[in-house]
């Protein structure tokens, strides 16, 4: 069993449809927890699939960066809305880049909003019993000149000690 990371950050998910005033919808979306690895293999069959942030398959790369800023700030996040496409593949109604950000930052599971009629299908294909959603924040990058400066000081200190 892989060792758990200590630097995981939780996500505060909220259902998008209620936030946007869709209370008039006759049957509200339900929450389904998905296994990200399994979902990703199924989403790959869709024409919406994004292989990597900012690559040719991503027609809105700015949304990935925006989602990342919001995740890192700890803001409440709308759950992605998932559904079944006409060809039977899984697809997004909303939230591809939020999902993508979670996938790229080590998340194993997350909740999604699904129409009630499609929930059993989504649960069967990629549902999980896991009920925690977290991500691993990116490591802060130290500028190269700073690293070289520190190494230079260390070398200078060693040379001074060696001469003494």
């Amino acid at each position: 069993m892989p060792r758990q990371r200590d630097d995981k950050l939780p996500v505060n998910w909220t259902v998008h449809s209620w936030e946007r005033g869709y209370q008039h919808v006759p049957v509200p979306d339900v929450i389904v927890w998905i296994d990200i690895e399994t979902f990703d293999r199924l989403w790959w069959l869709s024409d919406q699939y994004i292989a990597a942030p900012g690559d040719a398959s991503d027609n809105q790369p700015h949304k990935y960066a925006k989602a990342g800023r919001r995740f890192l700030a700890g803001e409440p996040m709308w759950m992605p809305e998932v559904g079944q496409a006409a060809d039977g593949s899984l697809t997004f109604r909303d939230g591809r880049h939020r999902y993508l950000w979670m996938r790229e930052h080590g998340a194993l599971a997350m909740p999604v909003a699904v129409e009630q009629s499609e929930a059993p299908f989504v649960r069967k294909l990629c549902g999980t019993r896991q009920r925690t959603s977290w991500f691993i924040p990116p490591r802060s990058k130290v500028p190269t000149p700073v690293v070289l400066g520190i190494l230079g000081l260390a070398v200078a200190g060693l040379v001074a000690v060696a001469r003494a």
Side-chain angles (χ1 to χ4, degrees):
M1 184 165 171
R3 187 172 161 261
Q4 291 291 321
R5 300 268 313 242
D6 294 331
D7 56 350
K8 299 181 294 191
L9 295 177
V11 179
N12 179 13
W13 292 107
T14 184
V15 178
H16 177 211
S17 59
W18 291 111
E19 296 290 322
R20 299 276 308 265
Y22 295 141
Q23 293 93 338
H24 67 277
V25 174
V27 181
D29 288 348
V30 296
I31 298 170
V32 174
W33 281 81
I34 61 167
D35 176 86
I36 288 181
E37 184 178 336
T38 305
F39 179 87
D40 208 60
R41 286 193 306 264
L42 298 166
W43 183 41
W44 182 79
L45 302 171
S46 161
D47 62 355
Q48 293 182 339
Y49 186 74
I50 301 173
D55 76 356
S57 63
D58 188 356
N59 62 349
Q60 298 173 310
H62 63 281
K63 287 189 171 188
Y64 179 83
K66 180 181 175 184
R69 285 191 300 273
R70 293 190 65 214
F71 277 116
L72 291 170
E75 295 180 24
M77 298 297 288
W78 292 338
M79 288 178 203
E81 296 177 19
V82 173
Q84 182 180 8
D87 64 1
S89 65
L90 292 176
T91 188
F92 284 93
R93 291 182 283 159
D94 183 53
R96 292 181 311 151
H97 291 87
R98 280 170 267 147
Y99 166 83
L100 181 62
W101 204 90
M102 291 291 287
R103 182 189 80 189
E104 296 297 311
H105 288 86
L108 302 176
M110 65 186 288
V112 294
V114 181
E115 286 184 16
Q116 194 169 32
S117 62
E118 296 176 342
F121 174 75
V122 174
R123 253 188 222 106
K124 181 180 178 185
L125 289 179
C126 59
T128 183
R129 292 181 183 192
Q130 192 168 7
R131 296 293 184 266
T132 57
S133 189
W134 50 262
F135 64 90
I136 299 168
R139 294 181 181 198
S140 58
K141 295 180 181 175
V142 178
T144 304
V146 173
V147 172
L148 293 176
I150 292 170
L151 290 174
L153 289 173
V155 168
L158 290 173
V159 168
V161 169
R163 288 184 181 169

